Amino acid sequence: MRVLTRLSARADAAYDNAYHHKLRGRLWEALKDSEYDDLHDENQPKPFTYSNPFPPGEMREGDERSLLVASTDESLLAHIAEDLTHNRELNVGEMPFHVDEVTPLSPDVGEPGTGGTLETGTGVLVRIPPWRFDEYDIDVDHDEAEFWRPEHTMEPFRNQIENNLDKKHDLFCPDYLPGPSETDGDLFDGADLIKTFSIPVTVTQGRRETWVLSKWRFDYTVRDDHHRRHLNLALDTGIGERNSLGFGFVNITEKEDKRSGRRERVDA
């Protein structure tokens, strides 16, 4: 589930690629005094994630942008949508926006037999814990978590993505349903690395770090209802770490019914 917010720039502005901390603060402000307020301080994955204000690029007053917020919890999205509807000023650092429209969306990877492509709209954060360095033959001169890079191969990336999605499944799905690691088959048919890059990230107020991120295009074929749930969970919560900072946001870009051969492009 997600909400699509249409925005218009209230003034000329440069695009701030370090928007994450400011936008996260605006969304938590929308959840203030709700039953979700206490989630802010819990040290566990959050039941929501969000896109960047897109498309990125320098803005002139009146230019249009969009923002997607996704969650496993329809009520949480309703709180955010209500706040954005009643408080239509949305400032992301030095980028001032007016909220023009808020629309609910329900993307779905499709019934078993459906194939498609998922693409990360924001960078994916994957860190490899030091106790797994020997397992992956990672030779580094530090004992802190290592940011995934292409030279580390796909095995640690896949494992960390699956482990992270397992945690979210335990938190946000019924206990009696199997998580990703409890079912046969891979989450994705294939993974194409678009790019890796590093950016400065304000983790908390006054604490800034440089993180290595990656962008991906994933192919999938829905095997069964369990696999469908796992892929839709990735749509609702993101993949990788720190999704409540806006990392790992995923969109469906293409769907195909393998039985009929019918193919369609998907916008959100």
Side-chain angles (χ1 to χ4, degrees):
M1 295 172 285
R2 52 185 60 184
V3 291
L4 170 63
T5 304
R6 299 295 188 187
L7 307 168
S8 56
R10 294 189 294 108
D12 297 355
Y15 193 86
D16 183 2
N17 289 305
Y19 64 86
H20 308 84
H21 179 65
K22 296 293 186 181
L23 182 49
R24 176 180 63 176
R26 177 64 178 86
L27 296 178
W28 279 117
E29 182 66 26
L31 296 172
K32 188 176 180 180
D33 298 327
S34 74
E35 63 266 37
Y36 303 100
D37 203 358
D38 291 343
L39 291 174
H40 184 280
D41 297 323
E42 292 185 3
N43 186 25
Q44 63 185 33
K46 306 298 188 285
F48 72 92
T49 187
Y50 48 89
S51 72
N52 60 319
F54 65 92
E58 185 174 324
M59 293 176 289
R60 296 292 185 184
E61 183 178 356
D63 282 358
E64 296 178 351
R65 294 292 186 270
S66 297
L67 172 69
L68 287 162
V69 182
S71 177
T72 57
D73 192 323
E74 187 175 357
S75 178
L76 182 148
L77 289 176
H79 276 285
I80 291 175
E82 182 178 9
D83 183 85
L84 292 177
T85 300
H86 288 89
N87 302 296
R88 291 183 176 265
E89 188 173 300
L90 193 156
N91 299 324
V92 184
E94 300 301 315
M95 298 187 293
F97 295 109
H98 178 269
V99 174
D100 296 331
E101 183 182 6
V102 180
T103 306
L105 300 173
S106 299
D108 189 316
V109 294
E111 297 180 358
T114 303
T117 302
L118 304 179
E119 191 166 318
T120 56
T122 59
V124 179
L125 173 65
V126 168
R127 291 177 289 192
I128 306 165
W131 56 86
R132 304 199 75 169
F133 287 173
D134 289 343
E135 177 183 349
Y136 299 132
D137 294 323
I138 294 175
D139 184 14
V140 292
D141 58 359
H142 63 79
D143 57 2
E144 299 175 347
E146 172 77 355
F147 292 103
W148 182 87
R149 295 173 172 85
E151 59 263 31
H152 298 322
T153 76
M154 284 300 298
E155 183 183 6
F157 182 87
R158 289 195 189 98
N159 289 341
Q160 293 304 122
I161 290 293
E162 183 177 88
N163 292 342
N164 180 271
L165 201 60
D166 267 332
K167 292 180 184 177
K168 295 166 185 168
H169 193 278
D170 290 344
L171 287 168
F172 310 129
C173 296
D175 293 341
Y176 60 86
L177 295 173
S181 66
E182 298 173 305
T183 56
D184 294 331
D186 294 328
L187 192 63
F188 304 115
D189 296 342
D192 294 324
L193 177 63
I194 298 172
K195 67 176 180 177
T196 56
F197 59 102
S198 61
I199 61 170
V201 178
T202 301
V203 183
T204 57
Q205 191 66 39
R207 181 184 165 198
R208 198 172 176 92
E209 299 177 358
T210 299
W211 288 358
V212 179
L213 309 170
S214 52
K215 282 194 172 184
W216 296 84
R217 190 175 294 111
F218 301 107
D219 296 321
Y220 71 87
T221 304
V222 182
R223 293 187 302 274
D224 52 34
D225 288 335
H226 294 312
H227 188 215
R228 180 184 189 179
R229 183 179 64 258
H230 302 155
L231 290 171
N232 282 332
L233 180 63
L235 287 176
D236 290 342
T237 62
I239 62 170
E241 304 174 55
R242 304 308 291 266
N243 310 117
S244 64
L245 263 173
F247 295 106
F249 189 84
V250 181
N251 290 308
I252 306 172
T253 56
E254 190 172 273
K255 288 170 68 174
E256 178 184 6
D257 187 327
K258 299 289 188 178
R259 293 162 294 193
S260 67
R262 181 173 173 269
R263 184 186 295 265
E264 62 176 311
R265 294 288 298 174
V266 182
D267 292 331

